[in-house]
Amino acid sequence: MGSGYGRRVDSPSDARSRILDAAEELFAGGGYDATPTARIAAVAGVPKGLVFHYFPRKIDVLVSLVDERTLVTEEDPEPAPGDAARALSKLARRLPLTASPSMRRILFREADTHRSVKDRIHGLNSEIIRRARFALELALPGGRGDAARLEAAAATFAAVLLYQESIAHLTGHTIDADVVADLMATALAQFG
Amino acid sequence: MGSGYGRRVDSPSDARSRILDAAEELFAGGGYDATPTARIAAVAGVPKGLVFHYFPRKIDVLVSLVDERTLVTEEDPEPAPGDAARALSKLARRLPLTASPSMRRILFREADTHRSVKDRIHGLNSEIIRRARFALELALPGGRGDAARLEAAAATFAAVLLYQESIAHLTGHTIDADVVADLMATALAQFG
Amino acid sequence: MGSGYGRRVDSPSDARSRILDAAEELFAGGGYDATPTARIAAVAGVPKGLVFHYFPRKIDVLVSLVDERTLVTEEDPEPAPGDAARALSKLARRLPLTASPSMRRILFREADTHRSVKDRIHGLNSEIIRRARFALELALPGGRGDAARLEAAAATFAAVLLYQESIAHLTGHTIDADVVADLMATALAQFG
Amino acid sequence: MGSGYGRRVDSPSDARSRILDAAEELFAGGGYDATPTARIAAVAGVPKGLVFHYFPRKIDVLVSLVDERTLVTEEDPEPAPGDAARALSKLARRLPLTASPSMRRILFREADTHRSVKDRIHGLNSEIIRRARFALELALPGGRGDAARLEAAAATFAAVLLYQESIAHLTGHTIDADVVADLMATALAQFG
DNA sequence: TATGAATGAGTTTTCATTCAT
DNA sequence: GATGAATGAAAACTCATTCAT
């Protein structure tokens, strides 16, 4: 559970983190609507009232989670390496989205629940597509190429990256992003 | 909305269908949890109690929807045409899943709400991957080929088909399945 | 199940009997309030509507049950035999109440539910006490005796007879009415 | 009404007690099934939701009532006095059951509603029979005696003690336990 | 800050009863 | 008579949110 990235030291307002940890786990598991705030408090091991002390409305828990525990890095990746497949693979590993698997499932699943979540998903996706397109362009000899193909390849790759966990969760099949990167690069290299 | 495919004639006891129509629309829109049964009744134009008459528990509405309004066709497609890209494209259009766009969103989004939904998603996905693999094998010269690549291509294509609407809904980007089919076939044809 | 006394021939309105049989079983088991009419119909193997065809209100099922399946015989028992203990024993076996064990539990348990049930219980009890008193008077030498003792003995014996099944059901202890009869007669014979 | 024995001081959070008081009164009057939780809240003078706050399910009110407001005292009575009749009489007054008349009616009437109630009735009855047997053994000259008679006498006496109020309520006849005690002791003294 | 009792609007569920066929 | 769909009032239960302490 938790954001998965490092244990927080037991500090005064450590309770707040524990509440977010609990919410992350529960929202990813059963969904936002199906998770009572009392349950969050119980899992977090804090009294019910404290949840509302930190998060006046329930939706604030979700919004805070999304705001604080997902990060779309804005800075461009360093100039791509040699080939497109490698660039895509690198992108896969350096996803410009800092978010635990649980957080990705939440982003994905609760998109309609609150505008703030939906906005963030749009942002993420746009950013990933933009970078995938950038990386893939390297694969196109001469830089020209079929715009539609490039777009589809980029969007597909972005979807694989974004929804990897959800796909695995929902279908039981894991998709190896590196292999997909390789396929996309190979395919695009044929045209152009 | 509605079952999407064909209007039912106004027959005695089409109330049940109207309830399912309304539920399909509302579940796809706001989600299962956020939809009160009273709302379903109102949209269906039937009294509240009638929903219970047909579906003793709220979850039964969802389960019935999934059971009755999605169908994973079992029969194999006719022997594939000439090339893999065309075979995949055909698969895209003849998705072995009979379900309206709303139903796909529901399948996808409410997967954790009830086991029955999850089971069906598993079934769907397995079937689509199986067929995608079958179609893509055609693209591999000599029939040999890289199993991992084949698998990744098939799974990616299946994901695109299954989550097309959700991806569009969540990100605003439409993915053209035909183009993806073409890309996959092209990429695989390079190996083998 | 059923009144226990003889199987009814399959006749035109045999359904009515089956409904009463089912109600008897269910009311004795879970109580009147906790038994839905739909359940009665299901156990009786008749459509729900038929219950209301025969018994316009639910309470009519209970009232009919009580009216038709309990009978306080009005005629006095033949002039008592030799001694009081035997007279009481005989009373025990010829209880002036014709009712299956289930019906006795119902009478007992639903007494507050409807006046008709309460009235019948009063009637039953009065009659049994009257006869017990009559039988016990035989035990009193000279016919005189302590009125309070006689009354307590008669009421206790009546309670044992009436609530035998309920006591057994609720406590797991069976009371042998014959032995109690003997005890009462013996005790009273000491006074007088 | 209330638990009947002693008024609780108006202390913080006596709302829970008031809810139990109200439930005790209403369950004894109309029965568990016929008493809506809203009615309990109204009689207790608390908002509807508070009933749930303390008792997540309606049945918990009944179970708590039984668990908290009936007590089968475990300690043995002091060595019985001179004669059996007096020992039984004493038992009658020092019933090893601490429960208001309402609680006894509830125990008795709702026995089938929940296992916890039935279990308690069993416990009570066993204890009372055990003590009645103990007291009655004093009446048997030489300590020998007829086991069946002893058992019947004890069980009958226990039933009179336990169901006193219900019998009075259902039949209108009050049974004087002291007189029954005297009868039982007298009868047993004849044998042995 | 911290706490859990208190509140009440909203939801699900139950079910007796009606009624067209 | 027989049937099961239809109805709606009432009940149980949920839970976000408030608030006194």
Short mmCIF file of all heavy atoms in Angstrom, two decimals, chain E:
data_model
loop_
_atom_site.label_atom_id
_atom_site.label_comp_id
_atom_site.label_asym_id
_atom_site.label_seq_id
_atom_site.Cartn_x
_atom_site.Cartn_y
_atom_site.Cartn_z
P DT E 1 -2.55 21.94 13.17
OP1 DT E 1 -1.53 20.95 13.52
OP2 DT E 1 -2.71 22.47 11.88
"O5'" DT E 1 -3.89 21.33 13.71
"C5'" DT E 1 -4.16 21.45 15.10
"C4'" DT E 1 -3.75 20.22 15.88
"O4'" DT E 1 -4.38 20.31 17.17
"C3'" DT E 1 -4.25 18.90 15.30
"O3'" DT E 1 -3.46 17.86 15.88
"C2'" DT E 1 -5.67 18.87 15.81
"C1'" DT E 1 -5.50 19.47 17.21
N1 DT E 1 -6.65 20.31 17.64
C2 DT E 1 -7.32 19.99 18.79
O2 DT E 1 -6.98 19.05 19.50
N3 DT E 1 -8.36 20.81 19.08
C4 DT E 1 -8.81 21.90 18.37
O4 DT E 1 -9.76 22.56 18.75
C5 DT E 1 -8.07 22.18 17.18
C7 DT E 1 -8.47 23.33 16.33
C6 DT E 1 -7.04 21.39 16.85
P DA E 2 -3.61 16.36 15.37
OP1 DA E 2 -2.44 15.56 15.81
OP2 DA E 2 -3.99 16.38 13.96
"O5'" DA E 2 -4.85 15.90 16.26
"C5'" DA E 2 -4.67 15.91 17.66
"C4'" DA E 2 -5.78 15.12 18.33
"O4'" DA E 2 -6.91 15.99 18.57
"C3'" DA E 2 -6.33 13.92 17.56
"O3'" DA E 2 -6.53 12.93 18.55
"C2'" DA E 2 -7.62 14.43 16.96
"C1'" DA E 2 -8.08 15.42 18.01
N9 DA E 2 -8.85 16.59 17.55
C8 DA E 2 -8.64 17.35 16.44
N7 DA E 2 -9.47 18.37 16.32
C5 DA E 2 -10.28 18.26 17.45
C6 DA E 2 -11.35 19.03 17.92
N6 DA E 2 -11.81 20.11 17.30
N1 DA E 2 -11.94 18.63 19.08
C2 DA E 2 -11.46 17.55 19.71
N3 DA E 2 -10.46 16.74 19.37
C4 DA E 2 -9.90 17.17 18.22
P DT E 3 -6.94 11.47 18.10
OP1 DT E 3 -6.32 10.54 19.06
OP2 DT E 3 -6.66 11.33 16.67
"O5'" DT E 3 -8.49 11.46 18.35
"C5'" DT E 3 -8.95 11.49 19.70
"C4'" DT E 3 -10.45 11.58 19.73
"O4'" DT E 3 -10.86 12.86 19.22
"C3'" DT E 3 -11.17 10.56 18.85
"O3'" DT E 3 -11.66 9.57 19.71
"C2'" DT E 3 -12.30 11.36 18.17
"C1'" DT E 3 -12.22 12.72 18.82
N1 DT E 3 -12.50 13.90 17.97
C2 DT E 3 -13.48 14.78 18.37
O2 DT E 3 -14.13 14.62 19.38
N3 DT E 3 -13.66 15.85 17.54
C4 DT E 3 -12.99 16.12 16.37
O4 DT E 3 -13.24 17.12 15.71
C5 DT E 3 -11.97 15.16 16.00
C7 DT E 3 -11.18 15.35 14.76
C6 DT E 3 -11.79 14.11 16.80
P DG E 4 -12.01 8.11 19.17
OP1 DG E 4 -11.39 7.16 20.11
OP2 DG E 4 -11.72 8.01 17.72
"O5'" DG E 4 -13.58 8.08 19.38
"C5'" DG E 4 -14.14 8.55 20.58
"C4'" DG E 4 -15.54 9.05 20.29
"O4'" DG E 4 -15.47 10.29 19.56
"C3'" DG E 4 -16.36 8.11 19.39
"O3'" DG E 4 -17.73 8.32 19.68
"C2'" DG E 4 -16.10 8.67 18.01
"C1'" DG E 4 -16.23 10.13 18.37
N9 DG E 4 -15.76 11.04 17.33
C8 DG E 4 -14.86 10.79 16.33
N7 DG E 4 -14.67 11.80 15.54
C5 DG E 4 -15.49 12.79 16.05
C6 DG E 4 -15.71 14.11 15.61
O6 DG E 4 -15.20 14.69 14.66
N1 DG E 4 -16.62 14.78 16.44
C2 DG E 4 -17.24 14.23 17.53
N2 DG E 4 -18.09 15.01 18.19
N3 DG E 4 -17.04 12.99 17.95
C4 DG E 4 -16.16 12.33 17.16
P DA E 5 -18.60 7.17 20.22
OP1 DA E 5 -17.94 6.65 21.41
OP2 DA E 5 -18.95 6.27 19.11
"O5'" DA E 5 -19.91 7.95 20.65
"C5'" DA E 5 -19.80 8.95 21.66
"C4'" DA E 5 -20.66 10.14 21.33
"O4'" DA E 5 -20.09 10.88 20.22
"C3'" DA E 5 -22.08 9.79 20.91
"O3'" DA E 5 -22.93 10.75 21.52
"C2'" DA E 5 -22.07 9.94 19.40
"C1'" DA E 5 -21.07 11.06 19.19
N9 DA E 5 -20.34 11.03 17.92
C8 DA E 5 -19.56 10.01 17.43
N7 DA E 5 -19.00 10.28 16.28
C5 DA E 5 -19.45 11.56 15.99
C6 DA E 5 -19.20 12.43 14.89
N6 DA E 5 -18.43 12.10 13.86
N1 DA E 5 -19.80 13.63 14.91
C2 DA E 5 -20.57 13.96 15.96
N3 DA E 5 -20.87 13.24 17.04
C4 DA E 5 -20.27 12.04 16.99
P DA E 6 -24.52 10.59 21.31
OP1 DA E 6 -25.12 11.23 22.47
OP2 DA E 6 -24.83 9.19 20.96
"O5'" DA E 6 -24.77 11.51 20.04
"C5'" DA E 6 -24.57 12.90 20.18
"C4'" DA E 6 -24.95 13.62 18.92
"O4'" DA E 6 -24.03 13.28 17.87
"C3'" DA E 6 -26.34 13.29 18.37
"O3'" DA E 6 -26.99 14.53 18.14
"C2'" DA E 6 -26.08 12.53 17.07
"C1'" DA E 6 -24.73 13.09 16.66
N9 DA E 6 -23.90 12.21 15.84
C8 DA E 6 -23.52 10.92 16.13
N7 DA E 6 -22.73 10.37 15.21
C5 DA E 6 -22.60 11.38 14.26
C6 DA E 6 -21.90 11.44 13.04
N6 DA E 6 -21.17 10.44 12.56
N1 DA E 6 -21.97 12.59 12.34
C2 DA E 6 -22.70 13.60 12.83
N3 DA E 6 -23.40 13.66 13.96
C4 DA E 6 -23.30 12.50 14.64
P DT E 7 -28.52 14.57 17.81
OP1 DT E 7 -29.00 15.83 18.38
OP2 DT E 7 -29.14 13.30 18.20
"O5'" DT E 7 -28.56 14.67 16.25
"C5'" DT E 7 -27.90 15.77 15.65
"C4'" DT E 7 -27.95 15.66 14.15
"O4'" DT E 7 -26.99 14.69 13.70
"C3'" DT E 7 -29.29 15.19 13.58
"O3'" DT E 7 -29.80 16.27 12.84
"C2'" DT E 7 -28.96 13.99 12.70
"C1'" DT E 7 -27.48 14.15 12.48
N1 DT E 7 -26.68 12.90 12.26
C2 DT E 7 -25.87 12.84 11.16
O2 DT E 7 -25.78 13.73 10.34
N3 DT E 7 -25.15 11.68 11.04
C4 DT E 7 -25.18 10.60 11.91
O4 DT E 7 -24.48 9.62 11.71
C5 DT E 7 -26.06 10.73 13.03
C7 DT E 7 -26.15 9.63 14.03
C6 DT E 7 -26.76 11.87 13.16
P DG E 8 -31.34 16.40 12.55
OP1 DG E 8 -31.65 17.82 12.62
OP2 DG E 8 -32.09 15.41 13.35
"O5'" DG E 8 -31.41 15.95 11.02
"C5'" DG E 8 -30.52 16.56 10.10
"C4'" DG E 8 -30.52 15.76 8.81
"O4'" DG E 8 -29.68 14.60 8.96
"C3'" DG E 8 -31.90 15.20 8.42
"O3'" DG E 8 -31.98 15.19 7.01
"C2'" DG E 8 -31.85 13.77 8.92
"C1'" DG E 8 -30.42 13.45 8.58
N9 DG E 8 -29.86 12.30 9.28
C8 DG E 8 -30.30 11.73 10.44
N7 DG E 8 -29.60 10.68 10.80
C5 DG E 8 -28.63 10.56 9.81
C6 DG E 8 -27.59 9.64 9.65
O6 DG E 8 -27.28 8.69 10.38
N1 DG E 8 -26.85 9.89 8.50
C2 DG E 8 -27.08 10.91 7.62
N2 DG E 8 -26.28 11.00 6.57
N3 DG E 8 -28.06 11.79 7.76
C4 DG E 8 -28.78 11.56 8.87
P DA E 9 -33.01 16.17 6.35
OP1 DA E 9 -32.84 17.52 6.89
OP2 DA E 9 -34.34 15.50 6.40
"O5'" DA E 9 -32.48 16.15 4.85
"C5'" DA E 9 -31.10 16.41 4.60
"C4'" DA E 9 -30.54 15.37 3.65
"O4'" DA E 9 -30.17 14.17 4.38
"C3'" DA E 9 -31.53 14.91 2.57
"O3'" DA E 9 -30.79 14.80 1.36
"C2'" DA E 9 -32.00 13.54 3.07
"C1'" DA E 9 -30.73 13.03 3.74
N9 DA E 9 -30.94 12.01 4.76
C8 DA E 9 -31.95 11.96 5.68
N7 DA E 9 -31.87 10.92 6.49
C5 DA E 9 -30.73 10.27 6.08
C6 DA E 9 -30.09 9.09 6.53
N6 DA E 9 -30.54 8.35 7.55
N1 DA E 9 -28.97 8.71 5.89
C2 DA E 9 -28.53 9.45 4.87
N3 DA E 9 -29.03 10.57 4.36
C4 DA E 9 -30.14 10.93 5.01
P DG E 10 -31.53 14.53 0.03
OP1 DG E 10 -30.98 15.48 -0.94
OP2 DG E 10 -32.98 14.39 0.27
"O5'" DG E 10 -30.98 13.08 -0.36
"C5'" DG E 10 -29.59 12.84 -0.21
"C4'" DG E 10 -29.34 11.36 -0.30
"O4'" DG E 10 -29.72 10.68 0.92
"C3'" DG E 10 -30.14 10.67 -1.42
"O3'" DG E 10 -29.27 9.73 -1.99
"C2'" DG E 10 -31.27 9.97 -0.65
"C1'" DG E 10 -30.51 9.55 0.59
N9 DG E 10 -31.32 9.21 1.76
C8 DG E 10 -32.42 9.87 2.24
N7 DG E 10 -32.92 9.31 3.31
C5 DG E 10 -32.11 8.22 3.55
C6 DG E 10 -32.15 7.23 4.56
O6 DG E 10 -32.96 7.13 5.49
N1 DG E 10 -31.13 6.30 4.43
C2 DG E 10 -30.19 6.33 3.44
N2 DG E 10 -29.28 5.35 3.45
N3 DG E 10 -30.12 7.24 2.49
C4 DG E 10 -31.11 8.15 2.60
P DT E 11 -29.40 9.33 -3.47
OP1 DT E 11 -28.40 10.07 -4.20
OP2 DT E 11 -30.83 9.32 -3.87
"O5'" DT E 11 -28.93 7.81 -3.36
"C5'" DT E 11 -28.79 7.29 -2.09
"C4'" DT E 11 -28.78 5.79 -2.04
"O4'" DT E 11 -29.38 5.48 -0.78
"C3'" DT E 11 -29.57 5.04 -3.11
"O3'" DT E 11 -28.77 3.97 -3.61
"C2'" DT E 11 -30.81 4.53 -2.38
"C1'" DT E 11 -30.41 4.54 -0.91
N1 DT E 11 -31.50 4.96 0.01
C2 DT E 11 -31.70 4.22 1.15
O2 DT E 11 -31.01 3.26 1.44
N3 DT E 11 -32.71 4.65 1.95
C4 DT E 11 -33.55 5.73 1.72
O4 DT E 11 -34.42 6.01 2.51
C5 DT E 11 -33.29 6.46 0.51
C7 DT E 11 -34.12 7.64 0.16
C6 DT E 11 -32.29 6.05 -0.28
P DT E 12 -29.34 2.95 -4.61
OP1 DT E 12 -28.23 2.58 -5.48
OP2 DT E 12 -30.61 3.45 -5.18
"O5'" DT E 12 -29.69 1.71 -3.66
"C5'" DT E 12 -28.67 1.21 -2.83
"C4'" DT E 12 -29.25 0.20 -1.86
"O4'" DT E 12 -30.27 0.81 -1.05
"C3'" DT E 12 -29.91 -1.00 -2.54
"O3'" DT E 12 -29.44 -2.16 -1.88
"C2'" DT E 12 -31.40 -0.77 -2.33
"C1'" DT E 12 -31.42 -0.02 -1.01
N1 DT E 12 -32.59 0.86 -0.77
C2 DT E 12 -33.29 0.75 0.41
O2 DT E 12 -33.00 -0.07 1.27
N3 DT E 12 -34.32 1.64 0.56
C4 DT E 12 -34.72 2.61 -0.33
O4 DT E 12 -35.66 3.36 -0.08
C5 DT E 12 -33.95 2.67 -1.56
C7 DT E 12 -34.30 3.67 -2.59
C6 DT E 12 -32.94 1.82 -1.71
P DT E 13 -29.78 -3.58 -2.49
OP1 DT E 13 -28.73 -4.50 -2.04
OP2 DT E 13 -30.11 -3.46 -3.91
"O5'" DT E 13 -31.11 -3.93 -1.69
"C5'" DT E 13 -31.05 -3.96 -0.28
"C4'" DT E 13 -32.45 -4.16 0.28
"O4'" DT E 13 -33.23 -2.98 0.12
"C3'" DT E 13 -33.26 -5.29 -0.38
"O3'" DT E 13 -33.42 -6.26 0.62
"C2'" DT E 13 -34.58 -4.63 -0.77
"C1'" DT E 13 -34.60 -3.37 0.06
N1 DT E 13 -35.33 -2.20 -0.49
C2 DT E 13 -36.36 -1.66 0.25
O2 DT E 13 -36.71 -2.11 1.32
N3 DT E 13 -36.96 -0.56 -0.31
C4 DT E 13 -36.64 0.03 -1.52
O4 DT E 13 -37.25 1.03 -1.90
C5 DT E 13 -35.55 -0.58 -2.24
C7 DT E 13 -35.13 -0.02 -3.54
C6 DT E 13 -34.96 -1.66 -1.70
P DT E 14 -34.29 -7.53 0.35
OP1 DT E 14 -33.69 -8.60 1.16
OP2 DT E 14 -34.52 -7.70 -1.09
"O5'" DT E 14 -35.69 -7.17 1.01
"C5'" DT E 14 -35.72 -6.63 2.31
"C4'" DT E 14 -37.16 -6.38 2.66
"O4'" DT E 14 -37.63 -5.20 1.99
"C3'" DT E 14 -38.11 -7.50 2.24
"O3'" DT E 14 -38.80 -7.90 3.39
"C2'" DT E 14 -39.01 -6.88 1.18
"C1'" DT E 14 -38.96 -5.41 1.55
N1 DT E 14 -39.17 -4.46 0.44
C2 DT E 14 -40.10 -3.46 0.59
O2 DT E 14 -40.79 -3.34 1.58
N3 DT E 14 -40.20 -2.60 -0.49
C4 DT E 14 -39.48 -2.64 -1.65
O4 DT E 14 -39.66 -1.81 -2.53
C5 DT E 14 -38.52 -3.71 -1.75
C7 DT E 14 -37.69 -3.84 -2.96
C6 DT E 14 -38.41 -4.54 -0.71
P DC E 15 -39.50 -9.27 3.46
OP1 DC E 15 -39.67 -9.61 4.89
OP2 DC E 15 -38.88 -10.21 2.54
"O5'" DC E 15 -40.94 -8.87 2.92
"C5'" DC E 15 -41.57 -7.77 3.55
"C4'" DC E 15 -42.84 -7.40 2.85
"O4'" DC E 15 -42.55 -6.50 1.77
"C3'" DC E 15 -43.59 -8.58 2.21
"O3'" DC E 15 -44.89 -8.52 2.70
"C2'" DC E 15 -43.55 -8.30 0.72
"C1'" DC E 15 -43.43 -6.78 0.71
N1 DC E 15 -42.81 -6.22 -0.52
C2 DC E 15 -43.27 -5.00 -1.03
O2 DC E 15 -44.18 -4.42 -0.45
N3 DC E 15 -42.69 -4.51 -2.14
C4 DC E 15 -41.70 -5.18 -2.73
N4 DC E 15 -41.17 -4.65 -3.82
C5 DC E 15 -41.22 -6.42 -2.23
C6 DC E 15 -41.79 -6.90 -1.11
P DA E 16 -45.74 -9.74 3.00
OP1 DA E 16 -45.36 -10.20 4.34
OP2 DA E 16 -45.67 -10.66 1.87
"O5'" DA E 16 -47.19 -9.10 3.09
"C5'" DA E 16 -47.41 -8.05 4.02
"C4'" DA E 16 -48.30 -6.99 3.42
"O4'" DA E 16 -47.67 -6.41 2.26
"C3'" DA E 16 -49.67 -7.47 2.97
"O3'" DA E 16 -50.60 -6.46 3.33
"C2'" DA E 16 -49.51 -7.61 1.45
"C1'" DA E 16 -48.53 -6.51 1.13
N9 DA E 16 -47.64 -6.76 -0.02
C8 DA E 16 -46.84 -7.85 -0.20
N7 DA E 16 -46.11 -7.80 -1.31
C5 DA E 16 -46.48 -6.59 -1.87
C6 DA E 16 -46.05 -5.95 -3.07
N6 DA E 16 -45.17 -6.46 -3.91
N1 DA E 16 -46.61 -4.76 -3.34
C2 DA E 16 -47.51 -4.24 -2.48
N3 DA E 16 -47.97 -4.74 -1.34
C4 DA E 16 -47.41 -5.94 -1.09
P DT E 17 -52.15 -6.84 3.21
OP1 DT E 17 -52.85 -5.93 4.13
OP2 DT E 17 -52.33 -8.29 3.31
"O5'" DT E 17 -52.49 -6.38 1.74
"C5'" DT E 17 -52.31 -5.01 1.40
"C4'" DT E 17 -52.44 -4.81 -0.07
"O4'" DT E 17 -51.29 -5.32 -0.78
"C3'" DT E 17 -53.65 -5.49 -0.74
"O3'" DT E 17 -54.47 -4.46 -1.24
"C2'" DT E 17 -53.05 -6.32 -1.85
"C1'" DT E 17 -51.72 -5.64 -2.08
N1 DT E 17 -50.68 -6.47 -2.72
C2 DT E 17 -50.11 -6.01 -3.89
O2 DT E 17 -50.43 -4.96 -4.42
N3 DT E 17 -49.16 -6.82 -4.43
C4 DT E 17 -48.71 -8.04 -3.92
O4 DT E 17 -47.84 -8.68 -4.49
C5 DT E 17 -49.34 -8.46 -2.69
C7 DT E 17 -48.96 -9.75 -2.04
C6 DT E 17 -50.29 -7.66 -2.16
P DT E 18 -55.86 -4.74 -1.87
OP1 DT E 18 -56.79 -3.82 -1.21
OP2 DT E 18 -56.12 -6.19 -1.91
"O5'" DT E 18 -55.66 -4.26 -3.38
"C5'" DT E 18 -54.93 -3.08 -3.62
"C4'" DT E 18 -54.59 -3.00 -5.10
"O4'" DT E 18 -53.55 -3.95 -5.43
"C3'" DT E 18 -55.77 -3.32 -6.02
"O3'" DT E 18 -55.81 -2.31 -7.00
"C2'" DT E 18 -55.42 -4.69 -6.60
"C1'" DT E 18 -53.91 -4.64 -6.61
N1 DT E 18 -53.19 -5.93 -6.57
C2 DT E 18 -52.25 -6.18 -7.53
O2 DT E 18 -52.00 -5.41 -8.43
N3 DT E 18 -51.61 -7.39 -7.40
C4 DT E 18 -51.81 -8.34 -6.42
O4 DT E 18 -51.17 -9.38 -6.40
C5 DT E 18 -52.81 -8.01 -5.44
C7 DT E 18 -53.11 -8.97 -4.34
C6 DT E 18 -53.45 -6.84 -5.55
P DC E 19 -57.12 -2.08 -7.87
OP1 DC E 19 -57.13 -0.64 -8.17
OP2 DC E 19 -58.27 -2.76 -7.24
"O5'" DC E 19 -56.75 -2.86 -9.21
"C5'" DC E 19 -55.53 -2.55 -9.87
"C4'" DC E 19 -55.31 -3.51 -11.01
"O4'" DC E 19 -54.64 -4.70 -10.53
"C3'" DC E 19 -56.60 -4.00 -11.68
"O3'" DC E 19 -56.40 -3.97 -13.07
"C2'" DC E 19 -56.74 -5.44 -11.19
"C1'" DC E 19 -55.26 -5.82 -11.11
N1 DC E 19 -55.01 -6.99 -10.23
C2 DC E 19 -54.01 -7.90 -10.58
O2 DC E 19 -53.37 -7.71 -11.61
N3 DC E 19 -53.79 -8.97 -9.78
C4 DC E 19 -54.50 -9.13 -8.66
N4 DC E 19 -54.25 -10.17 -7.90
C5 DC E 19 -55.52 -8.20 -8.29
C6 DC E 19 -55.74 -7.15 -9.09
P DA E 20 -57.46 -3.28 -13.98
OP1 DA E 20 -57.41 -1.83 -13.71
OP2 DA E 20 -58.73 -4.03 -13.86
"O5'" DA E 20 -56.83 -3.55 -15.42
"C5'" DA E 20 -55.46 -3.29 -15.67
"C4'" DA E 20 -54.84 -4.45 -16.43
"O4'" DA E 20 -54.68 -5.58 -15.54
"C3'" DA E 20 -55.67 -4.94 -17.61
"O3'" DA E 20 -54.78 -5.23 -18.68
"C2'" DA E 20 -56.36 -6.20 -17.08
"C1'" DA E 20 -55.32 -6.72 -16.10
N9 DA E 20 -55.87 -7.47 -14.96
C8 DA E 20 -56.97 -7.14 -14.21
N7 DA E 20 -57.20 -7.99 -13.23
C5 DA E 20 -56.18 -8.92 -13.33
C6 DA E 20 -55.86 -10.07 -12.59
N6 DA E 20 -56.57 -10.48 -11.53
N1 DA E 20 -54.79 -10.79 -12.96
C2 DA E 20 -54.06 -10.36 -14.01
N3 DA E 20 -54.27 -9.30 -14.80
C4 DA E 20 -55.35 -8.62 -14.40
P DT E 21 -55.32 -5.63 -20.08
OP1 DT E 21 -54.36 -5.12 -21.06
OP2 DT E 21 -56.76 -5.27 -20.12
"O5'" DT E 21 -55.22 -7.21 -20.07
"C5'" DT E 21 -53.95 -7.80 -19.84
"C4'" DT E 21 -54.12 -9.28 -19.68
"O4'" DT E 21 -54.70 -9.58 -18.39
"C3'" DT E 21 -55.03 -9.94 -20.72
"O3'" DT E 21 -54.27 -10.90 -21.45
"C2'" DT E 21 -56.12 -10.63 -19.90
"C1'" DT E 21 -55.47 -10.75 -18.53
N1 DT E 21 -56.42 -10.80 -17.39
C2 DT E 21 -56.25 -11.80 -16.46
O2 DT E 21 -55.38 -12.63 -16.53
N3 DT E 21 -57.17 -11.77 -15.44
C4 DT E 21 -58.20 -10.87 -15.25
O4 DT E 21 -58.95 -10.95 -14.29
C5 DT E 21 -58.30 -9.85 -16.26
C7 DT E 21 -59.38 -8.82 -16.17
C6 DT E 21 -57.41 -9.86 -17.28
#
